[in-house]
Amino acid sequence: MDIEEKLEIGKRLREFGESKFDKIKDFAEALDIVPSALQSTYFKGRSTPGGELLIKLSNMGCDLDWLLTGERKKIAFPGLQQLQPTNYKTYNIVGRICAGSGRNYYDATTIEGTVTIPDIGVPAVGLRVEGDSMAPFLNERDIILVSKQHINNEDLIAIRLKSGDQFVKKYLKKDGKIILLSLNPLYGPITVIPSEIEQLVKVVGILKLSI
């Protein structure tokens, strides 16, 4: 890899960091790197991210194909890691779901639009993300695809409560209760009991439109 390619990766790394954090210092801390090293080593193309650093970036929602090549790969399949899509399919976007606290989303019986992407192999509908409780992994404008699938601890889920509140969260079942976890440390967990749940579906696809 020549210096020009490394410099381009450094520019994209900076762009991603600035899109997710108010300060480069905060970006460096999230990567467990000294801020000066992040700027002098990676931003200036002296080295490129690898290994553990790429894993951390991916967990933040960074499109690694885009970071390393400049080519955007906008769809990920957190609930169907083994999927190898070959055909394309159109999915309905039926509403907006809260990545926050206490807000409802629009009537899920109304189709707001469609998106054509690789066929994920299961019936699914799309929901637009609102709020920042799942940042930096999910951000406003991203679209999640949800489906009625078996749910395990640590899965991303969309949940609708009988109260009308609806959230996208990380799922944890413990001692007969459901704990809804946010990725943004500014938001605390939400605990519900099964009788409060109206619908619970698994996130099987993510379209990163916020990058």
Side-chain angles (χ1 to χ4, degrees):
M1 184 180 297
D2 61 33
I3 185 61
E4 291 300 322
E5 290 176 299
K6 291 180 179 179
L7 284 171
E8 289 301 315
I9 291 173
K11 289 179 182 178
R12 289 191 290 270
L13 182 63
R14 178 187 286 273
E15 180 183 337
F16 174 75
E18 290 176 344
S19 73
K20 300 296 181 182
F21 298 87
D22 292 332
K23 299 178 181 178
I24 291 299
K25 177 184 176 183
D26 297 333
F27 183 35
E29 289 178 354
L31 294 173
D32 198 24
I33 296 175
V34 176
S36 60
L38 176 62
Q39 300 204 45
S40 64
T41 301
Y42 294 100
F43 288 173
K44 293 188 176 180
R46 291 191 175 92
S47 184
T48 58
E52 293 184 0
L53 189 57
L54 288 176
I55 292 174
K56 290 177 181 178
L57 288 165
S58 179
N59 289 338
M60 291 179 186
C62 183
D63 182 335
L64 298 185
D65 283 353
W66 168 77
L67 177 68
L68 298 176
T69 70
E71 298 292 328
R72 290 189 182 275
K73 181 181 178 183
K74 291 184 177 178
I75 185 166
F77 304 98
L80 300 166
Q81 292 92 337
Q82 78 286 357
L83 188 64
Q84 297 294 329
T86 57
N87 300 313
Y88 280 74
K89 184 175 179 180
T90 298
Y91 295 89
N92 291 331
I93 301 171
V94 300
R96 307 184 186 190
I97 192 159
C98 174
S101 58
R103 289 188 293 168
N104 300 333
Y105 78 81
Y106 301 165
D107 184 358
T109 63
T110 300
I111 297 175
E112 294 191 349
T114 62
V115 60
T116 300
I117 58 172
D119 187 351
I120 65 174
V122 295
V125 295
L127 297 170
R128 298 184 190 277
V129 174
E130 291 188 339
D132 64 351
S133 75
M134 300 302 286
F137 187 70
L138 289 175
N139 297 284
E140 296 226 15
R141 296 182 57 235
D142 290 344
I143 295 174
I144 60 171
L145 293 174
V146 298
S147 180
K148 293 181 179 180
Q149 303 290 318
H150 178 71
I151 296 172
N152 298 307
N153 280 346
E154 302 296 319
D155 281 343
L156 287 180
I157 56 93
I159 186 170
R160 179 165 65 227
L161 303 179
K162 293 177 181 178
S163 65
D165 289 329
Q166 307 187 55
F167 308 99
V168 55
K169 299 290 182 183
K170 183 176 281 191
Y171 174 93
L172 177 64
K173 187 173 184 179
K174 184 177 181 180
D175 299 328
K177 296 181 180 179
I178 308 298
I179 304 172
L180 308 176
L181 302 172
S182 299
L183 299 182
N184 185 334
L186 295 178
Y187 293 82
I190 298 171
T191 301
V192 301
I193 57 176
S195 63
E196 295 177 303
I197 299 172
E198 182 175 320
Q199 187 175 42
L200 180 63
V201 289
K202 186 174 182 175
V203 176
V204 293
I206 297 170
L207 282 74
K208 295 296 297 179
L209 304 180
S210 59
I211 294 177

